[in-house]
Amino acid sequence: MAATLLKVSGLRVAYGGIQAVKGVSFEVHEGELVSLIGANGAGKTTTLKAVTGLQPVAAGDIEFLGKPIKGQGPWDLVKQGLVMVPEGRGTFTRMSITENLQMGAFVRNDKEIDADIEKVFAIFPRLKERRNQLAGTMSGGEQQMLAMGRALMARPKVLLLDEPSMGLSPIMVDKIFEVVADIHGRGTTVLLVEQNASRALQLANRGYVMESGEVTMDGDAKALLDDPKVRAAYLGE
Ligand SMILES: Nc1ncnc2c1ncn2[C@@H]1O[C@H](COP(=O)(O)OP(=O)(O)OP(=O)(O)O)[C@@H](O)[C@H]1O
Ligand SMILES: [Mg+2]
């Protein structure tokens, strides 16, 4: 069996007195694309923030590459290869495409950064065409591509994507899911958080369904896609 890269057990996260994540457990194995789906407010973003050190953990354990990482800050985790593309993208709007990509490599000091920028341009030809353009002048879909490209510059061992298709036109949504499949196909392990359950499960090996701060179903992605409860709740049937 493939190595377990990320293992979250009994994770609890609270905002003040409000329990947003109530004992969530999941795993991501090497080479997998795992989708975490659920409605607005289910606790998906909160889970990712806790895993990446952006939100304090109230209880539970997080292991990355076989070691406990709870309490470590985002910088240290990115350096180890746990890299998130946040909800809303967070590109540096007043920097060019190329500068944004260079920022993604801030945790590295090797000599392959320029070569990796070329690799990112191979995945996203649109970014190459616009390499000197300011990020803030690009469309939402292009900024999502840039945010993913920037994350790849950190050489992720697990890439966490928080709702990459949110707010995009149908054509751009297609494009973004194609790119996620491409990144996975090139060998990156991916945890994909999405409200677009159908598309996310079609791409995934396995899936988890979150409701009100808890994982209520998990399993093979195709089995989840065929599950009548998933179809009724998330696929509008
Ligand atoms: N900064 C915050 N302060 C207080 N409560 C918060 C904060 N961020 C999120 N919450 C609450 O925590 C719960 C989980 O929110 P979260 O953003 O994790 O959900 P989500 O599954 O990512 O939803 P969406 O699909 O809309 O992005 C919600 O009830 C939300 O209102
Ligand atoms: Mg969210």
Side-chain angles (χ1 to χ4, degrees):
M1 205 175 96
T4 301
L5 298 187
L6 180 64
K7 183 176 163 85
V8 174
S9 318
L11 178 71
R12 292 180 175 273
V13 187
Y15 296 105
I18 298 166
Q19 305 282 324
V21 174
K22 307 168 190 164
V24 160
S25 301
F26 65 91
E27 290 183 6
V28 181
H29 306 140
E30 187 163 25
E32 277 191 316
L33 193 162
V34 174
S35 288
L36 177 60
I37 64 167
N40 277 125
K44 306 180 298 297
T45 296
T46 303
T47 299
L48 291 193
K49 282 186 173 168
V51 166
T52 55
L54 293 164
Q55 187 67 40
V57 171
D61 289 303
I62 311 170
E63 277 183 20
F64 180 56
L65 312 178
K67 296 197 190 98
I69 57 163
K70 190 167 74 169
Q72 292 189 31
W75 168 284
D76 286 327
L77 295 173
V78 170
K79 219 166 166 171
Q80 292 164 65
L82 190 59
V83 184
M84 174 162 71
V85 177
E87 202 172 46
R89 290 133 206 164
T91 51
F92 301 107
T93 54
R94 299 177 72 147
M95 290 186 182
S96 72
I97 308 295
T98 304
E99 286 165 342
N100 267 272
L101 294 177
Q102 286 164 343
M103 291 298 287
F106 73 100
V107 292
R108 297 171 46 188
N109 54 9
D110 56 83
K111 297 197 160 58
E112 293 167 27
I113 292 170
D114 289 344
D116 278 9
I117 289 182
E118 290 306 319
K119 283 188 194 161
V120 168
F121 284 156
I123 301 173
F124 305 99
R126 177 109 53 147
L127 296 183
K128 184 170 188 174
E129 285 164 24
R130 292 161 190 242
R131 52 169 64 192
N132 297 318
Q133 189 172 322
L134 292 184
T137 61
M138 299 208 302
S139 74
E142 289 163 350
Q143 291 200 34
Q144 182 62 48
M145 292 181 196
L146 178 57
M148 287 191 207
R150 190 182 58 190
L152 290 175
M153 290 300 297
R155 293 196 167 173
K157 296 202 171 71
V158 176
L159 179 64
L160 312 170
L161 301 173
D162 194 354
E163 304 219 28
S165 77
M166 190 169 58
L168 302 181
S169 68
I171 289 173
M172 224 5 124
V173 169
D174 287 347
K175 179 74 198 156
I176 289 298
F177 280 109
E178 260 173 45
V179 160
V180 172
D182 185 22
I183 290 171
H184 176 235
R186 289 170 192 248
T188 302
T189 303
V190 178
L191 176 62
L192 172 63
V193 165
E194 266 293 337
Q195 278 192 43
N196 191 332
S198 160
R199 300 297 293 268
L201 290 174
Q202 279 167 28
L203 284 191
N205 303 111
R206 291 188 305 113
Y208 292 85
V209 179
M210 256 187 105
E211 286 171 49
S212 310
E214 295 177 279
V215 170
T216 52
M217 276 193 264
D218 71 272
D220 177 74
K222 300 292 169 287
L224 286 175
L225 259 182
D226 291 338
D227 188 293
K229 279 180 288 193
V230 174
R231 300 195 76 82
Y234 301 101
L235 308 176
E237 289 182 10

